[in-house]
Amino acid sequence: MGSNAPTGPQPPYPLHPSVKDKLDPTYRDFYNKHIFDKQQVHLQPVSASRTSGILIPGGGPKLPVGKTEDFLLQRKETAGPDVPIRVFTPEGEKPSDGWPVMVYYHGGGWVLGNIETENTVCTNLCKRASCVVISVDYRLAPENPYPAAVNDSLEALLWLRSTGFTQLALNPQKVAIGGSSAGGNLAAIMCHKALASPSLVPSFSVQLLIVPVTDNTASTATTLSWKENEFSPALPAEKMLWYRRHYLPDEKSWGEPEASPLLYEGGWESQPRALVVVGELDVLRSEGEAYAEKLRKGGVEVDLKVMKGMPHPFLAMDGVLQQGRDTITYMVEALKRAFA
């Protein structure tokens, strides 16, 4: 990956005039105090971004759970190394019919993030929704481009169906799936893949898609939120394309449904109910809204939330932003409803 020397403009990075006055004041103040003078991810080598510490500042604390265990899953259908997962189990006695379970995929543009990245979200879901949470540590690009992350995501579900339900004392009738950003992309794809392999992959009670990437063909020329929020902080259009090109180096694959789940042609009427949360000032807003609309047209129950004044990373900033805390609460409530 070469040296860790920056490859583009240097900090500081003041908020762009096109978005500055639209941002929630709490986010704007935090950005100006803690973020604007930090090197931006897409303007330095990947290796530097992976070793620079916290992916997104402003996160809240992890909550205590009963136990946290890491496992390595042997593959069943695809090639590659064992797939690491982290399993969060609630405190207390398991229900007589087994724990409900949530499979979670972290964000980071398929390039950044790891098993540690979204432990705050995972422990909140585990403790507050009284369910086991399985976080999947899928392989990252550019070393492992598409479809490595899709394959790893699927392998976790194959293990869950064949082994995990029994090993972890889970209830196979109460299974949820979800993720944020790139992880929301993977979760949406897994819901479609479950339709194709019902004997191998669990069926899901609910899908939680937080600021999901659903259309890797989107651009400032074709998509409203890309044009409106081209220079939004945290995920400007240029940075999203940086992620995309690392993960999908072959442009011909950008429109494949397993890269862009919005472009699946069928199966919408058989999807699980959904919570979709998007940021008003996120380049990804329009494709999240379009995904929710496709689900609705298929007859699926959808709860779409648009978080006002928010750029992309509000979920991971729950220590600072009420919108981040609210989003976790929406996720907890969706799980409780699905598992009731």
Side-chain angles (χ1 to χ4, degrees):
M1 290 181 204
S3 79
N4 281 352
T7 57
Q10 299 301 291
Y13 306 104
L15 291 165
H16 196 270
S18 66
V19 73
K20 183 170 104 176
D21 294 335
K22 301 177 187 174
L23 286 163
D24 178 274
T26 304
Y27 178 88
R28 188 169 59 230
D29 291 347
F30 187 85
Y31 180 93
N32 286 331
K33 282 180 186 170
H34 301 287
I35 301 176
F36 94 113
D37 60 345
K38 305 295 189 293
Q39 180 60 266
Q40 293 197 8
V41 161
H42 63 295
L43 301 178
Q44 65 182 355
V46 170
S47 57
S49 294
R50 288 182 181 160
T51 57
S52 60
I54 296 169
L55 191 58
I56 298 168
K62 293 182 284 188
L63 297 188
V65 298
K67 62 181 174 179
T68 303
E69 302 171 283
D70 291 351
F71 298 93
L72 286 173
L73 310 183
Q74 291 189 325
R75 289 174 185 273
K76 299 184 180 302
E77 286 200 357
T78 64
D82 293 349
V83 180
I85 62 168
R86 177 163 292 171
V87 178
F88 303 88
T89 302
E91 299 166 313
E93 290 294 311
K94 73 173 172 64
S96 58
D97 54 355
W99 291 111
V101 60
M102 164 80 183
V103 181
Y104 191 84
Y105 302 102
H106 68 78
W110 313 277
V111 174
L112 305 175
N114 55 41
I115 201 82
E116 305 288 342
T117 303
E118 291 183 40
N119 285 350
T120 293
V121 175
C122 291
T123 56
N124 266 270
L125 301 181
C126 174
K127 185 178 183 71
R128 294 167 60 190
S130 298
C131 67
V132 166
V133 177
I134 298 172
S135 178
V136 182
D137 196 13
Y138 54 87
R139 287 171 294 168
L140 300 176
E143 300 90 341
N144 298 284
Y146 170 83
V150 174
N151 290 342
D152 294 1
S153 300
L154 177 62
E155 289 289 350
L157 301 180
L158 298 174
W159 171 83
L160 182 60
R161 180 69 183 258
S162 66
T163 307
F165 285 141
T166 303
Q167 184 175 334
L168 301 177
L170 306 176
N171 184 337
Q173 307 306 315
K174 295 182 177 181
V175 186
I177 192 167
S180 72
S181 194
N185 167 274
L186 295 170
I189 292 161
M190 291 306 109
C191 286
H192 285 274
K193 289 181 84 70
L195 302 180
S197 306
S199 63
L200 300 175
V201 177
S203 60
F204 303 111
S205 306
V206 67
Q207 54 185 319
L208 312 182
L209 308 180
I210 314 303
V211 293
V213 185
T214 71
D215 183 3
N216 268 306
T217 70
S219 71
T220 54
T222 62
T223 307
L224 179 62
S225 62
W226 275 68
K227 184 172 184 177
E228 289 179 344
N229 303 312
E230 180 177 1
F231 302 105
S232 189
L235 192 65
E238 178 188 3
K239 183 178 178 182
M240 186 61 221
L241 289 171
W242 181 88
Y243 283 130
R244 184 188 293 171
R245 289 182 180 121
H246 278 311
Y247 179 56
L248 298 159
D250 180 1
E251 197 167 330
K252 292 193 290 291
S253 66
W254 290 7
E256 292 179 9
E258 290 191 5
S260 297
L262 183 64
L263 306 184
Y264 275 102
E265 290 186 358
W268 293 92
E269 69 288 344
S270 303
Q271 292 292 300
R273 77 171 80 166
L275 168 70
V276 182
V277 185
V278 298
E280 180 189 21
L281 305 181
D282 186 0
V283 290
L284 303 179
R285 186 197 72 227
S286 293
E287 60 201 77
E289 291 171 329
Y291 201 84
E293 183 58 25
K294 265 201 167 178
L295 290 169
R296 273 206 192 106
K297 285 183 175 172
V300 176
E301 179 188 329
V302 181
D303 185 6
L304 172 65
K305 309 278 191 188
V306 180
M307 307 306 277
K308 299 297 182 190
M310 284 293 105
H312 183 71
F314 55 88
L315 173 66
M317 297 178 68
D318 62 299
V320 176
L321 298 175
Q322 183 62 44
Q323 293 90 337
R325 294 188 287 275
D326 288 346
T327 299
I328 294 175
T329 297
Y330 297 147
M331 297 168 79
V332 169
E333 290 171 349
L335 291 176
K336 286 180 173 178
R337 278 197 302 274
F339 296 151

